[in-house]
Amino acid sequence: MPPSTSRPRRPGRVPAVALVVAIVGLSTSTGLAVLLSEQQGRAEERLMDQRATAMQAAVTTEARRYVETLTTLAAGAASMPEVDAASFDALTATLQGMELPGASGIAFVVPADGAEVPAVQEQWRRRGVADLQLRPSPDRDEHIFSVLQRPVSAGTLAPLGQDLLVSPQATAALLRGRELSTVTVSRPYQLLSDRDLPADERQLSFLISAPVLAPAADGGPRAFRGWLVMGMRGEDFMGSTLHQTGEGLARAALLADGGDGWTTVAGDDPDPGSAGDLRRTERIVIADQQWLLQAHAHRADLPGGDDVLALAVGAGGVGLTVLSTALVLVLATAHRRAERRVEEATRELRSAREEAQRQAGLLGAVMDSLGDGVTVVDQDGSYLLSNRAARSILRLEEPDGPDRWPSHHGVFLADGGEPFPVADLPVVRALAGESVDDVEMFLRNEARPDGLWLEVSARPLDPRTGQSGAVTVFQDVTARRSAHEAVRRSEEQLRLLLDGARDHAIVMLDAQGHVASWSANAERINGYTEAEVLGRPYTMLFPADAVAAGEPQRALADAVRTGRIEPEWSLVRKDGTRFWALSVLTPVHDDAGALRGFVNVTRDITARKRDEARFRDLLEAAPDALVGCTEDGTIVFANSKVDELFGYRREELLGSPLEVLVPEAAASGHAAHRARYLHDPVARPMGSGMQLSARRRDGSLFPAEVSLSTLESDDGVIVSAAVRDISDRVRAQGELQRLNGALRDLNTELELRVHERTAQLEAQADALLEVNSELEAFSYSVSHDLRAPLRAVDGFAAVLAMDHADQLDDAGRRYLDRVRAGAQQMGELIDGLLSFSRLQRQDMSVRPVDLDPLVTDVWEELAVERAGRVVDLAVGHLPPVEGDPRLLRHVVANLVGNAVKYTRGRERALVEVGSRTGDDGAPVYFVRDNGTGFDMRYADKLFKVFQRLHRAEDYEGTGIGLALTARILHRHGGRIWADAEPDRGATFSFTLPGPDAATALVAATVPATSADPTPAIPTPRSVR
């Protein structure tokens, strides 16, 4: 054999090489494990930051929704003329459709001093809260009462009339809100309505309050009306939001400053044993308060949060190192050529192993550091690889094949109702070679009963890698979707709220003053559609002169500077018409204080402006000094007469207490008098039966008469006082009292004289009774003693005429006729005297009488007198009268009979009966003829007994008829008179009392004529 050419063995080299291999292998494995562990820690920190930021955004969005809802409601209440039960119900009705977890209810609360409690209670009863009973806390000067409320979610509400001062946390928030005119949040406490619940059902709660200020009057200060308050139960408010966004965390809690430290309002109470090794604390701004959001997690509970990969890499490296070392020891004893081969193979193996370890470590770190789930499947749908986040999201054993994925994992379409079709699954589409992005689906199964929303993307594997299949990425978008849904609900609820305020146009502006939202009521009031105004400057709603003067821009700047303004200004509708509007312009800021925009609430007050102008005119036209004050006695209006009466300029009085016009001695008790009046506010004179005084600017007093009444206004009840200086009257009353004293003395003397005169009249009455008795006896004597001889004379004369007329010559027969005529005339005179006498003693039966039938009846009775003549009767309108029908028939018969008699010489006689309206508006009746007439110089004799103006030879009669007629009319309360001319006819006019309806009918249908005393006669009806 040829000699060996190999180098001689060096026995000490083998252990050294093995030692080097072991040291290098162990160092490399340890370094890789440490590197992977550090990468895993940084990934866990980033994932924890993402979770905390998502929770902060969700909580801030949800809290802002409640604050903005209450702010909008407060703006609506501020613009109302008056807050009462009906307007409160209308304003808060939109809350019923809103999802407001944790909100127990919304209430309107008002302040009241101790002395004002009865007046405040009565005021709100008048405003629609009929059974309101205010229950003030004892030993307090000021109270805060709930007077209106509406439940929002399930639960009980504290009774109306509760004094909120029993809760110091609520009191502090309310007073802070009133002082700063902003929305405030209280420190946590137990709601009054929850204090009777079992201990395990109570929650720490808080309230959100917004002050409500009345519109400013004439540029003066704005009156404080009260607060809108929403009671919030902490766990119900944010518990579900924290649990959804904080899933997988050891603790998620919302903390508020309780006064003596931070208190958990919602979420998990701290547990030192399970706090977690990852912690985050974020600040949350809720209205005027800063709360804390705490999130704790264990690293191992986060996706990709364990150290299995690092341990596996380290263990694998150690194993490979041991194998390599052993291999070196075994092969070191072989042939040199084999040694070289081994050394070369070892180097290649080490390089491949290092590359594999590097690739495996990098891939594991990348996969498990991802917050999104990642899975890799082969062409058959079997899982090749999945990271921790994917296993956390799916939380189930891997199914066999894609067909079982929807039912196994509980995969539904995004609406959560229909199962996701297998063919449309992103991984199935990727296995078919299609790239799929951002497919939304809903996952719900036993492990996730509440479900979560996922966005899934998938890509096919490149077949050039030697492996077919697909990669799928799952992203949990539940928190983002919840935040988006909360924003959508908030916007929808805001839209409902904006459109629900019937009389208010609510417009949102951006920071530059451009229209960002436009309610339906804004379109109704201004005339513009939403499409016509969105994005345009709100200056388009103003007149050109106001825009040129910079009025809209100044208003935005003033609102930012002061926090809120309430201008009254003239606006222009789309059709060019102007109207007066009351606006509430409020800036809106984000959490960092940057200006986001404005809320502008507008109400058309054109009608109110017209009423105010009329009221001012009436105020100035009043003859008395008029002063108006609010319920607390602050003067809000006065007319110019106040300057003359009190010496104050109107500007000095506005805003001053009413007591400046009251004498100093009475000023201290004046508030109590005012409260008593407001308890029963009816218009009445003040201080009836008392001597009132008023105080001028110089301190002098004067006697005054004060009348009180109330007015309803936007600022509540206004008490109006009309003050009149009665100094002249007081002096006149003093003089009158002096005269009354003198009059009493005269009355005493007069009573003595009356007593004496009464005695005389009584004596005369007795004598008159005796005379009446004698007159009755005389009437009886005339009726019986005179009638018998007259009948005998007439009877014998008649017998003589019938039996012996042929024995008498013409003169004898003429004398006999005259005897009979004289006897008959004497009988008629006796009958007339008896009738005239009986009329004084005869009782009357008074009732309504229609004169038309009386005229017709009398005319028919006169048929014999009218025989052979042409006599026309014209009857006009005759209103009904009150009287005795029998006596009034005598009046008609006498007057109409005289008219027929005295027209005997006319070829065509005319008798007219009618009425006209007298100077006093009462009817005047008349009978007119065209007969012989008479001389008015003798008219005073017409109505006296036995007085005649015509010879008996021409016209028969006794001279008693007209006297009897005048006496009948006099007994009825009427009168009679005559107008005539010789040979031109005569008119007899008379009056009678009539019903009011008849008088009105006469006044309406028979107009008086002042120029011609002759009444207008309707078209006559002729009767012959």
Side-chain angles (χ1 to χ4, degrees):
M1 293 180 62
S4 173
T5 60
S6 62
R7 290 176 296 178
R9 290 184 60 194
R10 291 175 287 184
R13 184 180 176 186
V14 174
V17 171
L19 179 62
V20 169
V21 170
I23 292 173
V24 170
L26 290 175
S27 299
T28 302
S29 299
T30 303
L32 286 174
V34 171
L35 178 62
L36 289 175
S37 178
E38 290 178 353
Q39 290 177 343
Q40 180 69 27
R42 287 191 293 272
E44 291 162 354
E45 293 287 345
R46 288 194 299 271
L47 183 59
M48 188 64 183
D49 289 339
Q50 294 173 0
R51 286 290 185 88
T53 301
M55 289 175 63
Q56 181 187 26
V59 171
T60 299
T61 300
E62 187 71 0
R64 184 180 297 143
R65 184 166 67 94
Y66 287 74
V67 172
E68 290 179 350
T69 297
L70 194 63
T71 301
T72 305
L73 290 175
S79 62
M80 291 178 176
E82 178 182 82
V83 179
D84 55 18
S87 61
F88 178 81
D89 287 344
L91 179 67
T92 59
T94 54
L95 296 181
Q96 296 299 100
M98 300 174 67
E99 294 182 10
L100 298 172
S104 62
I106 186 167
F108 187 71
V109 300
V110 297
D113 293 337
E116 296 176 342
V117 171
V120 171
Q121 176 175 286
E122 182 61 28
Q123 176 188 27
W124 285 99
R125 286 181 176 179
R126 292 197 308 272
R127 294 186 180 183
V129 194
D131 299 328
L132 179 64
Q133 184 67 43
L134 301 184
R135 294 177 291 279
S137 301
D139 303 327
R140 294 181 183 273
D141 295 331
E142 186 178 16
H143 308 277
I144 300 177
F145 298 108
S146 61
V147 294
L148 297 167
Q149 65 182 9
R150 174 191 285 274
V152 176
S153 59
T156 59
L157 297 177
L160 282 179
Q162 182 75 44
D163 191 349
L164 270 65
L165 286 181
V166 299
S167 170
Q169 297 89 344
T171 302
L174 292 172
L175 297 181
R176 190 170 65 253
R178 180 172 65 178
E179 178 182 358
L180 301 177
S181 297
T182 187
V183 178
T184 56
V185 175
S186 72
R187 287 177 172 173
Y189 71 102
Q190 282 190 356
L191 293 178
L192 301 177
S193 58
D194 289 354
R195 295 184 179 180
D196 295 332
L197 295 176
D200 58 343
E201 297 182 16
R202 299 176 189 167
Q203 301 182 30
L204 269 183
S205 305
F206 59 95
L207 64 79
I208 308 174
S209 68
V212 178
L213 305 178
D218 297 329
R222 295 166 52 208
F224 180 75
R225 287 181 167 176
W227 299 267
L228 272 179
V229 174
M230 188 179 290
M232 306 295 301
R233 295 185 174 91
E235 185 63 33
D236 295 342
F237 169 54
M238 281 295 175
S240 60
T241 301
L242 292 176
H243 294 158
Q244 280 188 353
T245 57
E247 185 174 2
L249 301 181
R251 179 182 184 229
L254 192 61
L255 289 77
D257 184 4
D260 53 356
W262 294 98
T263 303
T264 301
V265 176
D268 306 312
D269 289 326
D271 182 2
S274 60
D277 47 6
L278 290 175
R279 301 185 181 185
R280 295 292 185 272
T281 299
E282 303 290 343
R283 292 194 176 272
I284 305 293
V285 177
I286 301 180
D288 67 329
Q289 297 292 307
Q290 284 196 355
W291 288 10
L292 297 182
L293 173 66
Q294 288 188 349
H296 296 180
H298 296 286
R299 293 180 183 272
D301 292 337
L302 297 177
D306 55 22
D307 292 330
V308 175
L309 179 62
L311 293 175
V313 171
V318 171
L320 288 175
T321 301
V322 172
L323 291 175
S324 299
T325 303
L327 183 61
V328 169
L329 292 174
V330 172
L331 296 179
T333 59
H335 194 270
R336 178 64 182 167
R337 186 174 54 192
E339 181 178 340
R340 287 197 300 268
R341 291 177 181 174
V342 168
E343 289 177 356
E344 183 178 353
T346 301
R347 285 194 301 271
E348 293 176 355
L349 177 63
R350 183 182 297 116
S351 176
R353 182 189 63 192
E354 289 176 354
E355 181 63 21
Q357 289 175 345
R358 189 181 69 80
Q359 293 291 340
L362 181 60
L363 178 61
V366 170
M367 291 279 286
D368 287 338
S369 66
L370 294 176
D372 298 338
V374 180
T375 61
V376 181
V377 299
D378 61 15
Q379 190 63 38
D380 297 328
S382 298
Y383 286 102
L384 298 176
L385 180 65
S386 62
N387 69 347
R388 183 176 181 81
R391 294 190 295 274
S392 174
I393 291 173
L394 299 177
R395 287 192 174 182
L396 293 175
E397 296 297 328
E398 298 172 355
D400 296 328
D403 293 341
R404 293 192 56 209
W405 284 342
S407 59
H408 181 78
H409 293 295
V411 182
F412 297 88
L413 295 174
D415 60 7
E418 296 292 332
F420 207 104
V422 174
D424 294 335
L425 287 172
V427 64
V428 174
R429 293 166 61 186
L431 289 174
E434 181 182 356
S435 295
V436 184
D437 292 313
D438 301 330
V439 176
E440 194 172 78
M441 60 180 61
F442 184 70
L443 185 71
R444 181 176 60 240
N445 49 47
E446 295 179 359
R448 295 210 178 249
D450 295 333
L452 70 159
W453 278 272
L454 301 175
E455 263 188 7
V456 183
S457 300
R459 295 285 189 279
L461 290 176
D462 189 348
R464 292 176 297 180
T465 62
Q467 177 66 58
S468 299
V471 177
T472 308
V473 179
F474 305 88
Q475 183 180 8
D476 185 352
V477 295
T478 303
R480 187 181 72 191
R481 185 184 176 97
S482 298
H484 290 171
E485 180 64 20
V487 172
R488 186 194 64 77
R489 285 201 311 270
S490 177
E491 291 176 348
E492 180 180 351
Q493 291 162 0
L494 180 60
R495 171 64 62 181
L496 290 174
L497 189 62
L498 296 181
D499 293 341
R502 174 65 184 165
D503 297 327
H504 299 77
I506 303 179
V507 180
M508 306 292 291
L509 308 176
D510 62 18
Q512 289 73 40
H514 295 83
V515 178
S517 73
W518 187 256
S519 69
N521 290 324
E523 179 177 341
R524 181 179 59 82
I525 292 175
N526 293 275
Y528 291 98
T529 64
E530 186 176 29
E532 292 173 322
V533 297
L534 284 183
R536 298 183 63 184
Y538 94 121
T539 54
M540 65 181 291
L541 307 177
F542 289 81
D545 54 352
V547 176
E551 183 177 352
Q553 295 81 357
R554 281 198 305 274
L556 294 179
D558 291 344
V560 173
R561 179 173 50 83
T562 62
R564 169 181 171 142
I565 62 170
E566 297 181 9
E568 290 184 1
W569 45 27
S570 177
L571 300 180
V572 180
R573 295 188 176 92
K574 180 182 178 180
D575 61 8
T577 59
R578 290 195 180 195
F579 66 99
W580 275 99
L582 169 64
S583 296
V584 179
L585 188 61
T586 306
V588 179
H589 299 85
D590 59 18
D591 296 338
L595 180 65
R596 293 176 55 194
F598 301 86
V599 177
N600 186 29
V601 182
T602 300
R603 181 163 58 93
D604 187 345
I605 61 169
T606 304
R608 195 193 81 185
K609 281 290 187 180
R610 286 197 299 266
D611 292 341
E612 288 177 353
R614 287 195 293 265
F615 178 73
R616 283 193 297 270
D617 294 340
L618 291 174
L619 202 65
E620 293 305 321
D624 299 325
L626 294 179
V627 180
C629 68
T630 59
E631 296 179 49
D632 62 358
T634 302
I635 296 175
V636 293
F637 70 77
N639 66 354
S640 58
K641 294 294 190 298
V642 171
D643 303 0
E644 305 172 9
L645 190 58
F646 290 94
Y648 285 99
R649 288 184 296 106
R650 212 174 341 191
E651 295 75 12
E652 294 180 275
L653 284 179
L654 295 181
S656 301
L658 186 62
E659 282 70 24
V660 300
L661 307 179
V662 178
E664 293 181 355
S668 59
H670 193 261
H673 291 307
R674 185 170 60 250
R676 282 195 296 272
Y677 172 74
L678 287 171
H679 183 69
D680 183 21
V682 296
R684 62 176 183 262
M686 178 179 174
S688 297
M690 301 171 57
Q691 178 66 58
L692 299 179
S693 297
R695 178 162 54 120
R696 297 188 180 91
R697 192 175 192 278
D698 59 7
S700 61
L701 304 180
F702 62 91
E705 181 180 78
V706 183
S707 297
L708 301 178
S709 60
T710 57
L711 304 170
E712 295 291 337
S713 73
D714 294 344
D715 299 325
V717 177
I718 301 296
V719 179
S720 174
V723 184
R724 179 176 297 175
D725 185 352
I726 58 171
S727 300
D728 294 340
R729 185 194 303 174
V730 170
R731 285 192 295 269
Q733 287 175 346
E735 180 65 19
L736 182 60
Q737 290 174 356
R738 185 187 65 79
L739 294 175
N740 283 339
L743 184 59
R744 281 192 296 271
D745 296 339
L746 292 174
N747 284 339
T748 302
E749 182 180 354
L750 183 60
E751 287 176 359
L752 293 175
R753 295 183 179 181
V754 168
H755 180 71
E756 295 174 356
R757 182 59 177 167
T758 300
Q760 296 174 359
L761 292 176
E762 289 176 351
Q764 292 176 357
D766 294 338
L768 185 59
L769 288 174
E770 184 177 353
V771 171
N772 284 336
S773 299
E774 294 175 355
L775 182 59
E776 289 179 2
F778 173 75
S779 298
Y780 180 82
S781 174
V782 169
S783 178
H784 292 82
D785 298 344
L786 294 181
R787 282 182 183 275
L790 287 175
R791 283 197 297 269
V793 171
D794 186 50
F796 285 118
V799 172
L800 183 61
M802 287 187 300
D803 295 342
H804 306 285
D806 54 348
Q807 300 176 13
L808 298 174
D809 58 10
D810 292 339
R813 285 193 294 271
R814 188 169 59 254
Y815 294 151
L816 185 60
D817 290 339
R818 293 185 66 179
V819 169
R820 292 198 64 194
Q824 292 173 359
Q825 184 178 9
M826 186 63 182
E828 292 175 357
L829 287 172
I830 292 172
D831 290 338
L833 284 173
L834 290 175
S835 298
F836 192 79
S837 176
R838 283 196 298 269
L839 183 62
Q840 304 300 317
R841 303 186 303 276
Q842 184 176 351
D843 293 334
M844 292 197 308
S845 176
V846 178
R847 60 178 180 270
V849 178
D850 188 355
L851 296 180
D852 278 304
L854 294 183
V855 173
T856 302
D857 188 33
V858 168
W859 189 255
E860 291 176 354
E861 289 184 356
L862 295 172
V864 176
E865 284 78 358
R866 294 184 288 109
R869 298 175 53 193
V870 178
V871 184
D872 293 335
L873 173 65
V875 182
H877 175 65
L878 298 174
V881 298
E882 293 280 344
D884 187 316
R886 181 174 50 83
L887 296 179
L888 293 179
R889 188 184 187 283
H890 184 88
V891 171
V892 173
N894 187 278
L895 295 177
V896 175
N898 282 349
V900 172
K901 179 170 61 175
Y902 289 106
T903 58
R904 192 177 296 159
R906 294 290 185 257
E907 180 179 352
R908 188 182 189 90
L910 174 62
V911 178
E912 301 177 25
V913 181
S915 68
R916 65 177 185 273
T917 303
D919 294 339
D920 58 354
V924 175
Y925 304 88
F926 63 86
V927 177
R928 180 187 296 121
D929 63 67
N930 62 344
T932 185
F934 57 86
D935 192 340
M936 285 296 293
R937 291 179 296 173
Y938 309 109
D940 58 335
K941 298 181 179 181
L942 282 175
F943 306 106
K944 295 181 180 180
V945 181
F946 302 136
Q947 297 294 322
R948 303 193 66 207
L949 302 184
H950 300 85
R951 296 188 309 163
E953 291 82 357
D954 296 330
Y955 299 100
E956 69 278 3
T958 62
I960 296 177
L962 287 177
L964 189 59
T965 298
R967 184 59 57 91
I968 292 172
L969 293 173
H970 178 73
R971 289 199 65 188
H972 280 80
R975 63 190 184 94
I976 186 170
W977 66 96
D979 293 295
E981 291 184 38
D983 204 36
R984 298 288 299 273
T987 300
F988 286 84
S989 302
F990 61 92
T991 61
L992 282 169
D996 292 341
T999 302
L1001 181 60
V1002 171
T1005 59
V1006 185
T1009 56
S1010 58
D1012 184 3
T1014 303
I1017 302 298
T1019 302
R1021 49 188 176 90
S1022 297
V1023 182
R1024 297 184 179 180

